[in-house]
Amino acid sequence: MPYIIQTNHLTKTIGGKEIVSDVSLHVKKGEIYGFLGPNGAGKTSIMKMLTNLWKPTSGSIELFGEMLTPKSYEVLKQMGSMIEFPVFYEHMTGYENLRIHCEYMGYYQHNSIENALDMLELADAAGKQVRNYSLGMKERLGIARAILCRPELLILDEPTNGLDPAGMKQLRSLFKKLSVEYGITIMISSHILSEIESIADTIGVIAHGRMMQEIGMKEVEQMSLAYLELFVSDVKRAAFVLSEKSGLTNFKIMENGEIRIYDMSVSTQELSKTLIMNNVEVTALGRKTETLEDYFLKLTSGTDSAEGRI
């Protein structure tokens, strides 16, 4: 079984609008898969299909090497999930909500509830009614419920919502522990790159309902993200000269008129000379290094970059 999760040309149409388009993703056993994209990119819609909450319009889903169908009850028992905002019986305590989940799942491992509450630092709040929990506490209780029955696969949709930086750090450590020590395969969605890059083994980048790229973090670390930054008097003519006179194809014109050249074998002296000889005034030319955030922003067509979001 090469992949725990594999989708093939997954598509979802609602009200005549295609919100997920031809997505094929691959999650390997035992890895942490970071599912990254801007809000509204289609992450939650795909996770709803993976957990059988929604049915695909077309395409297929394989979980644990088996095709997902409306009757895949045994396969779903191997999963834990938290999609969108977790819902509980508000008048009951956190402990009682987890006990009901165990009964529903037919899982009666001794101290499983206590262990899950301890992992999420909710032991002191176990006896409180959930209506008195903060947003962050409810998020952590949702994760406790997802890991309660020791699933082989964990699917978490924006699990750090409502958490402070200390809470986010605690969860990242927990996810690493679940992956390394318990062998749980984890798929986590987020629109914030910094939440994922430190723990993910593989990253899938989605935008406008389409998969832009799947790439291993080791491969990302080995990539050369350096480029030449070029400012000129005439951007259109410069692009023509770069393409026709210098034979360059790997460059991009940015919104501010900057030209980024990703072929680092180019001599800046020769490049400047060629541009000037072809009546293009060079106002600035230098070597720069693109950040990982810049790289993913480029994949998602320059969506909102505030606070490291992609």
Side-chain angles (χ1 to χ4, degrees):
M1 178 173 43
Y3 301 111
I4 291 289
I5 302 174
Q6 182 172 347
T7 71
N8 302 288
H9 308 292
L10 194 65
T11 299
K12 181 67 176 178
T13 302
I14 297 179
K17 181 180 180 181
E18 197 169 81
I19 59 174
V20 174
S21 305
D22 196 38
V23 170
S24 297
L25 63 83
H26 311 81
V27 180
K28 298 174 186 175
K29 179 178 175 61
E31 75 172 351
I32 297 178
Y33 185 98
F35 199 27
L36 287 165
N39 288 327
K43 302 186 300 295
T44 299
S45 299
I46 290 172
M47 287 183 156
K48 284 182 176 180
M49 288 187 276
L50 293 177
T51 52
N52 241 359
L53 296 174
W54 283 4
K55 303 299 181 287
T57 303
S58 63
S60 62
I61 299 170
E62 294 178 40
L63 299 178
F64 303 98
E66 297 182 21
M67 199 68 71
L68 184 66
T69 73
K71 296 184 179 180
S72 297
Y73 307 122
E74 293 303 315
V75 170
L76 293 174
K77 285 182 180 180
Q78 298 171 259
M79 298 169 54
S81 64
M82 185 178 73
I83 310 297
E84 295 187 313
F85 187 74
V87 177
F88 303 99
Y89 295 104
E90 296 277 325
H91 65 286
M92 300 177 71
T93 67
Y95 186 95
E96 289 168 340
N97 271 276
L98 296 190
R99 185 181 64 196
I100 285 177
H101 183 71
C102 281
E103 292 175 359
Y104 170 75
M105 296 293 290
Y107 187 83
Y108 302 103
Q109 188 73 30
H110 181 63
N111 284 336
S112 60
I113 297 175
E114 290 82 358
N115 290 338
L117 289 168
D118 283 340
M119 280 188 178
L120 275 301
E121 297 186 0
L122 286 171
D124 291 342
K128 292 182 180 179
Q129 290 182 328
V130 172
R131 64 162 56 101
N132 296 318
Y133 279 26
S134 66
L135 174 61
M137 291 171 69
K138 288 180 179 179
E139 287 287 329
R140 283 188 281 140
L141 186 62
I143 296 169
R145 183 171 62 189
I147 68 173
L148 180 58
C149 301
R150 292 292 172 86
E152 294 180 50
L153 170 63
L154 194 57
I155 296 179
L156 301 173
D157 183 23
E158 301 270 4
T160 58
N161 279 346
L163 299 183
D164 58 21
M168 293 180 185
K169 183 178 180 181
Q170 179 216 351
L171 281 190
R172 287 195 293 268
S173 297
L174 174 61
F175 297 148
K176 272 291 190 184
K177 180 178 181 180
L178 292 173
S179 175
V180 174
E181 296 185 19
Y182 296 95
I184 297 176
T185 305
I186 306 175
M187 182 181 188
I188 308 172
S189 75
S190 181
H191 61 282
I192 303 177
L193 175 61
S194 59
E195 286 186 8
I196 298 297
E197 63 176 312
S198 63
I199 61 170
D201 300 296
T202 302
I203 287 178
V205 183
I206 186 171
H208 311 295
R210 294 184 176 276
M211 181 67 79
M212 308 306 293
Q213 185 173 24
E214 280 186 315
I215 187 169
M217 283 305 299
K218 288 184 179 179
E219 187 179 346
V220 171
E221 291 166 3
Q222 294 169 358
M223 287 171 55
S224 173
L225 296 177
Y227 63 93
L228 293 177
E229 181 184 63
L230 172 66
F231 287 94
V232 293
S233 57
D234 187 335
V235 173
K236 288 185 178 180
R237 179 155 183 80
F240 172 80
V241 172
L242 292 176
S243 177
E244 299 300 321
K245 303 296 183 180
S246 297
L248 298 176
T249 57
N250 194 9
F251 64 87
K252 183 177 181 180
I253 300 172
M254 312 302 289
E255 288 183 1
N256 62 351
E258 169 197 352
I259 300 176
R260 292 187 178 182
I261 302 168
Y262 294 95
D263 186 346
M264 294 304 291
S265 65
V266 177
S267 163
T268 55
Q269 185 177 358
E270 287 298 321
L271 184 62
S272 179
K273 181 180 177 181
T274 301
L275 288 165
I276 292 170
M277 288 178 64
N278 285 274
N279 301 316
V280 179
E281 181 185 351
V282 177
T283 56
L285 175 60
R287 296 184 183 272
K288 298 286 184 177
T289 300
E290 186 177 41
T291 66
L292 185 58
E293 180 184 331
D294 290 333
Y295 174 73
F296 286 110
L297 282 170
K298 185 170 61 177
L299 286 179
T300 54
S301 301
T303 50
D304 182 14
S305 61
E307 298 181 37
R309 290 172 170 78
I310 70 165

